[in-house]
Amino acid sequence: MGPLWPGHRGPGWRQQLASAWSLLQQEEYVHLSLLQGLSHHVLPVLGSCGHFYAVEYLAAGSPRHSALFPLGRAAPRGGRAQARAISHIALSFLDMVSHFDRDFSHRLHLCDVKPENFAIRSDFTVVAIDVDMAFFEPKMKEILEQNCTGDEDCNFFDCFSRCDLRVNRCGAQRVNSNLQVICDKIFRHWFSSTLKSSAVSFQLRLQLQQAVRECTDPEGSAGSWRAAPSVFWKLRRLLQAALKELQEAEK
Protein backbone atom coordinates (compact mmCIF):
# COMPACT_ATOMS: atom_id res chain seq x y z
CA MET A 1 0.00 0.00 0.00
CA GLY A 2 2.98 2.32 0.48
CA PRO A 3 3.27 3.54 -3.15
CA LEU A 4 -0.52 4.05 -3.27
CA TRP A 5 -0.75 6.02 -0.02
CA PRO A 6 -2.50 9.27 -1.00
CA GLY A 7 -1.59 11.30 2.06
CA HIS A 8 1.49 13.42 2.66
CA ARG A 9 4.31 11.22 3.92
CA GLY A 10 4.92 13.12 7.10
CA PRO A 11 6.43 11.74 10.30
CA GLY A 12 3.43 9.55 11.10
CA TRP A 13 2.57 8.21 7.67
CA ARG A 14 3.68 4.67 8.43
CA GLN A 15 1.48 4.56 11.54
CA GLN A 16 -1.44 5.94 9.53
CA LEU A 17 -0.86 3.30 6.89
CA ALA A 18 -0.71 0.56 9.51
CA SER A 19 -3.95 1.84 11.08
CA ALA A 20 -5.73 1.91 7.73
CA TRP A 21 -4.54 -1.60 6.94
CA SER A 22 -5.66 -2.97 10.32
CA LEU A 23 -9.11 -1.42 9.84
CA LEU A 24 -9.44 -2.91 6.36
CA GLN A 25 -8.85 -6.38 7.82
CA GLN A 26 -12.07 -6.01 9.82
CA GLU A 27 -14.97 -7.07 7.63
CA GLU A 28 -17.53 -5.29 9.77
CA TYR A 29 -15.66 -1.98 9.44
CA VAL A 30 -15.48 -2.44 5.67
CA HIS A 31 -19.23 -3.12 5.51
CA LEU A 32 -20.11 -0.12 7.64
CA SER A 33 -17.78 2.11 5.65
CA LEU A 34 -19.20 0.92 2.33
CA LEU A 35 -22.74 1.57 3.52
CA GLN A 36 -21.90 4.95 5.04
CA GLY A 37 -24.51 7.42 3.87
CA LEU A 38 -26.32 4.75 1.85
CA SER A 39 -28.40 3.14 4.57
CA HIS A 40 -30.15 4.38 7.70
CA HIS A 41 -30.44 0.75 8.80
CA VAL A 42 -26.74 0.42 9.69
CA LEU A 43 -24.55 2.29 12.15
CA PRO A 44 -22.53 5.26 10.90
CA VAL A 45 -18.79 5.16 11.54
CA LEU A 46 -17.95 8.25 13.60
CA GLY A 47 -14.17 7.94 13.57
CA SER A 48 -11.21 5.66 14.15
CA CYS A 49 -7.98 5.44 16.10
CA GLY A 50 -5.50 2.72 15.26
CA HIS A 51 -7.42 -0.50 14.74
CA PHE A 52 -10.37 0.78 16.81
CA TYR A 53 -13.35 2.56 15.31
CA ALA A 54 -16.31 4.34 16.87
CA VAL A 55 -19.95 4.05 15.85
CA GLU A 56 -23.20 5.58 17.02
CA TYR A 57 -24.23 4.14 20.38
CA LEU A 58 -27.63 2.48 20.50
CA ALA A 59 -28.94 0.04 23.11
CA ALA A 60 -29.10 -3.47 21.70
CA GLY A 61 -32.18 -5.64 21.88
CA SER A 62 -32.44 -8.58 24.25
CA PRO A 63 -34.85 -11.46 24.89
CA ARG A 64 -35.08 -10.09 28.45
CA HIS A 65 -37.19 -7.19 27.19
CA SER A 66 -40.87 -8.04 26.81
CA ALA A 67 -40.86 -6.19 23.49
CA LEU A 68 -37.34 -7.48 22.62
CA PHE A 69 -36.06 -3.88 22.50
CA PRO A 70 -35.89 -1.19 25.19
CA LEU A 71 -38.74 1.17 24.41
CA GLY A 72 -38.25 3.57 27.32
CA ARG A 73 -40.56 6.56 27.18
CA ALA A 74 -42.19 5.34 23.97
CA ALA A 75 -44.11 2.67 25.88
CA PRO A 76 -43.66 3.14 29.63
CA ARG A 77 -46.65 1.03 30.61
CA GLY A 78 -47.19 -1.37 27.73
CA GLY A 79 -50.74 -1.53 26.38
CA ARG A 80 -51.56 0.55 23.31
CA ALA A 81 -48.27 2.45 23.47
CA GLN A 82 -46.27 -0.77 23.33
CA ALA A 83 -48.47 -2.22 20.59
CA ARG A 84 -47.99 0.96 18.56
CA ALA A 85 -44.21 0.90 19.08
CA ILE A 86 -43.99 -2.77 18.08
CA SER A 87 -46.03 -2.12 14.93
CA HIS A 88 -43.70 0.74 13.95
CA ILE A 89 -40.62 -1.39 14.65
CA ALA A 90 -42.02 -4.32 12.68
CA LEU A 91 -42.68 -2.03 9.71
CA SER A 92 -39.11 -0.77 9.96
CA PHE A 93 -37.86 -4.36 9.91
CA LEU A 94 -39.84 -4.86 6.69
CA ASP A 95 -38.35 -1.67 5.27
CA MET A 96 -34.88 -2.96 6.14
CA VAL A 97 -35.60 -6.31 4.46
CA SER A 98 -36.70 -4.57 1.28
CA HIS A 99 -33.75 -2.17 1.43
CA PHE A 100 -31.16 -4.95 1.83
CA ASP A 101 -32.80 -7.00 -0.92
CA ARG A 102 -33.18 -4.28 -3.53
CA ASP A 103 -31.15 -1.13 -2.98
CA PHE A 104 -27.57 -2.31 -3.53
CA SER A 105 -25.79 -3.88 -6.49
CA HIS A 106 -26.01 -7.21 -4.66
CA ARG A 107 -28.47 -8.49 -2.07
CA LEU A 108 -27.21 -8.22 1.50
CA HIS A 109 -27.80 -11.42 3.48
CA LEU A 110 -28.18 -11.40 7.27
CA CYS A 111 -26.92 -14.71 8.65
CA ASP A 112 -27.17 -14.01 12.38
CA VAL A 113 -30.59 -12.60 13.21
CA LYS A 114 -31.29 -12.09 16.90
CA PRO A 115 -32.46 -9.13 19.01
CA GLU A 116 -28.93 -8.51 20.30
CA ASN A 117 -27.74 -7.66 16.78
CA PHE A 118 -30.26 -4.87 16.28
CA ALA A 119 -31.21 -1.64 17.98
CA ILE A 120 -34.02 0.86 17.68
CA ARG A 121 -33.68 4.60 17.26
CA SER A 122 -36.11 6.98 18.94
CA ASP A 123 -38.16 7.17 15.73
CA PHE A 124 -38.45 3.33 15.75
CA THR A 125 -35.98 2.85 12.90
CA VAL A 126 -34.35 -0.58 13.07
CA VAL A 127 -30.55 -0.50 12.90
CA ALA A 128 -28.28 -3.50 12.37
CA ILE A 129 -25.57 -2.92 14.97
CA ASP A 130 -23.59 -6.13 14.40
CA VAL A 131 -22.91 -6.96 10.76
CA ASP A 132 -20.09 -9.46 11.25
CA MET A 133 -22.37 -12.08 9.72
CA ALA A 134 -23.81 -9.98 6.90
CA PHE A 135 -22.67 -10.84 3.39
CA PHE A 136 -23.35 -9.54 -0.07
CA GLU A 137 -24.52 -12.10 -2.64
CA PRO A 138 -21.13 -13.04 -4.18
CA LYS A 139 -19.58 -13.77 -0.77
CA MET A 140 -22.75 -15.58 0.32
CA LYS A 141 -22.50 -17.93 -2.65
CA GLU A 142 -18.85 -18.61 -1.87
CA ILE A 143 -19.69 -19.45 1.76
CA LEU A 144 -22.61 -21.73 0.93
CA GLU A 145 -21.00 -23.73 -1.86
CA GLN A 146 -19.33 -26.42 0.26
CA ASN A 147 -19.10 -30.21 0.31
CA CYS A 148 -22.05 -31.94 1.94
CA THR A 149 -23.73 -35.25 2.67
CA GLY A 150 -27.10 -33.74 3.62
CA ASP A 151 -28.99 -30.45 3.84
CA GLU A 152 -27.86 -29.89 7.43
CA ASP A 153 -24.29 -29.47 6.14
CA CYS A 154 -25.48 -26.50 4.08
CA ASN A 155 -26.71 -24.37 6.98
CA PHE A 156 -24.50 -21.38 7.72
CA PHE A 157 -26.06 -19.93 10.86
CA ASP A 158 -29.37 -18.44 9.61
CA CYS A 159 -28.49 -18.77 5.92
CA PHE A 160 -29.49 -22.12 4.43
CA SER A 161 -28.73 -23.92 1.21
CA ARG A 162 -29.53 -27.44 0.01
CA CYS A 163 -27.28 -30.38 -0.65
CA ASP A 164 -27.15 -31.77 -4.17
CA LEU A 165 -26.53 -35.43 -3.40
CA ARG A 166 -25.58 -36.13 -7.01
CA VAL A 167 -22.35 -34.19 -6.54
CA ASN A 168 -22.32 -33.83 -2.74
CA ARG A 169 -22.13 -30.06 -2.96
CA CYS A 170 -24.28 -27.38 -1.35
CA GLY A 171 -26.05 -25.10 -3.77
CA ALA A 172 -24.66 -21.60 -4.10
CA GLN A 173 -28.12 -20.07 -3.79
CA ARG A 174 -29.57 -19.38 -0.37
CA VAL A 175 -32.95 -21.09 -0.06
CA ASN A 176 -34.37 -19.05 2.81
CA SER A 177 -34.52 -15.27 3.13
CA ASN A 178 -33.90 -12.38 5.49
CA LEU A 179 -37.65 -11.93 5.82
CA GLN A 180 -38.20 -15.55 6.75
CA VAL A 181 -35.56 -15.47 9.49
CA ILE A 182 -36.81 -12.15 10.89
CA CYS A 183 -40.32 -13.58 11.01
CA ASP A 184 -38.96 -16.57 12.91
CA LYS A 185 -36.55 -14.83 15.29
CA ILE A 186 -38.32 -11.49 15.85
CA PHE A 187 -41.93 -11.36 14.66
CA ARG A 188 -42.91 -14.70 16.13
CA HIS A 189 -42.10 -13.35 19.60
CA TRP A 190 -44.57 -10.51 19.05
CA PHE A 191 -47.32 -12.14 17.05
CA SER A 192 -47.29 -15.88 17.77
CA SER A 193 -50.17 -15.67 20.23
CA THR A 194 -53.48 -13.87 19.87
CA LEU A 195 -53.59 -13.53 23.66
CA LYS A 196 -50.49 -11.35 24.12
CA SER A 197 -52.16 -8.00 23.61
CA SER A 198 -55.71 -6.77 23.78
CA ALA A 199 -54.73 -3.39 22.33
CA VAL A 200 -55.46 -4.63 18.80
CA SER A 201 -58.67 -6.38 17.76
CA PHE A 202 -58.78 -10.16 17.97
CA GLN A 203 -59.41 -10.53 14.23
CA LEU A 204 -56.35 -8.47 13.33
CA ARG A 205 -54.19 -10.29 15.87
CA LEU A 206 -55.30 -13.60 14.39
CA GLN A 207 -54.46 -12.43 10.87
CA LEU A 208 -51.01 -11.27 12.00
CA GLN A 209 -50.40 -14.58 13.73
CA GLN A 210 -51.34 -16.48 10.57
CA ALA A 211 -49.21 -14.23 8.35
CA VAL A 212 -46.15 -14.69 10.57
CA ARG A 213 -46.69 -18.45 10.56
CA GLU A 214 -46.93 -18.40 6.77
CA CYS A 215 -43.74 -16.32 6.59
CA THR A 216 -41.84 -18.53 9.04
CA ASP A 217 -42.98 -21.85 7.61
CA PRO A 218 -43.65 -21.31 3.89
CA GLU A 219 -43.16 -25.02 3.17
CA GLY A 220 -46.17 -25.83 5.29
CA SER A 221 -48.39 -23.14 3.78
CA ALA A 222 -47.31 -22.66 0.18
CA GLY A 223 -45.18 -25.67 -0.72
CA SER A 224 -42.04 -23.56 -1.10
CA TRP A 225 -38.99 -23.27 1.13
CA ARG A 226 -38.66 -19.51 0.68
CA ALA A 227 -41.32 -17.13 1.96
CA ALA A 228 -43.45 -15.90 -0.94
CA PRO A 229 -43.14 -12.19 -1.82
CA SER A 230 -46.86 -11.81 -1.17
CA VAL A 231 -46.38 -12.46 2.55
CA PHE A 232 -44.21 -9.34 2.78
CA TRP A 233 -47.06 -7.18 1.52
CA LYS A 234 -49.58 -9.03 3.67
CA LEU A 235 -47.54 -8.31 6.80
CA ARG A 236 -47.07 -4.69 5.78
CA ARG A 237 -50.78 -4.21 5.18
CA LEU A 238 -51.74 -5.83 8.50
CA LEU A 239 -49.21 -3.79 10.48
CA GLN A 240 -50.45 -0.58 8.89
CA ALA A 241 -54.00 -1.63 9.75
CA ALA A 242 -52.92 -2.24 13.35
CA LEU A 243 -51.44 1.25 13.56
CA LYS A 244 -54.60 2.78 12.12
CA GLU A 245 -56.73 0.85 14.60
CA LEU A 246 -54.56 2.00 17.51
CA GLN A 247 -54.67 5.62 16.37
CA GLU A 248 -58.45 5.54 16.07
CA ALA A 249 -58.77 4.02 19.54
CA GLU A 250 -56.95 7.03 20.99
CA LYS A 251 -59.33 9.60 19.52
Side-chain angles (χ1 to χ4, degrees):
M1 278 181 69
L4 302 176
W5 183 246
H8 175 66
R9 294 193 182 187
W13 80 273
R14 289 186 182 277
Q15 289 86 347
Q16 293 176 43
L17 182 60
S19 294
W21 181 248
S22 65
L23 287 169
L24 290 172
Q25 304 312 298
Q26 301 178 63
E27 198 159 356
E28 185 170 48
Y29 173 81
V30 173
H31 270 140
L32 294 175
S33 298
L34 286 172
L35 297 174
Q36 190 93 335
L38 299 177
S39 176
H40 59 281
H41 288 294
V42 296
L43 292 171
V45 176
L46 303 178
S48 63
C49 180
H51 66 281
F52 296 105
Y53 59 93
V55 295
E56 175 188 8
Y57 173 75
L58 292 171
S62 169
R64 295 192 302 271
H65 298 295
S66 62
L68 294 182
F69 300 96
L71 300 178
R73 296 177 184 174
R77 295 180 300 277
R80 285 199 187 99
Q82 180 167 300
R84 184 172 59 250
I86 286 172
S87 297
H88 277 298
I89 294 167
L91 282 168
S92 186
F93 265 111
L94 292 181
D95 180 72
M96 183 186 71
V97 164
S98 177
H99 175 53
F100 287 173
D101 277 358
R102 302 169 184 270
D103 292 348
F104 306 122
S105 300
H106 298 286
R107 179 173 293 170
L108 183 61
H109 295 273
L110 302 176
C111 294
D112 190 14
V113 173
K114 55 187 177 183
E116 295 91 332
N117 288 345
F118 298 94
I120 308 299
R121 289 199 174 101
S122 58
D123 63 354
F124 302 121
T125 298
V126 173
V127 181
I129 60 173
D130 187 337
V131 293
D132 275 338
M133 299 292 287
F135 306 98
F136 285 105
E137 186 83 15
K139 181 66 174 179
M140 187 79 264
K141 289 182 176 181
E142 181 184 320
I143 291 170
L144 290 175
E145 204 169 20
Q146 304 294 329
N147 294 331
C148 62
T149 57
D151 286 345
E152 64 277 3
D153 296 329
C154 303
N155 296 347
F156 182 77
F157 293 86
D158 291 325
C159 294
F160 302 160
S161 178
R162 279 183 166 167
C163 183
D164 185 345
L165 293 175
R166 295 170 299 179
V167 292
N168 292 112
R169 291 284 287 178
C170 298
Q173 293 292 334
R174 183 183 177 188
V175 297
N176 64 343
S177 66
N178 289 340
L179 175 61
Q180 190 174 341
V181 181
I182 285 168
C183 281
D184 184 29
K185 301 288 187 71
I186 306 292
F187 286 8
R188 189 153 63 170
H189 176 87
W190 291 329
F191 307 118
S192 62
S193 171
T194 57
L195 302 175
K196 283 194 174 181
S197 170
S198 59
V200 177
S201 67
F202 175 81
Q203 183 62 32
L204 192 49
R205 280 180 279 145
L206 182 61
Q207 288 178 299
L208 275 166
Q209 180 189 21
Q210 291 169 340
V212 170
R213 187 185 302 124
E214 180 183 342
C215 176
T216 303
D217 184 24
E219 207 167 19
S221 57
S224 169
W225 223 94
R226 184 186 285 264
S230 60
V231 79
F232 173 93
W233 298 107
K234 183 186 293 186
L235 284 165
R236 192 169 183 269
R237 175 178 56 79
L238 291 170
L239 289 165
Q240 289 173 334
L243 278 176
K244 184 178 179 182
E245 193 175 283
L246 289 163
Q247 288 166 357
E248 289 177 351
E250 291 176 353
K251 290 180 180 177

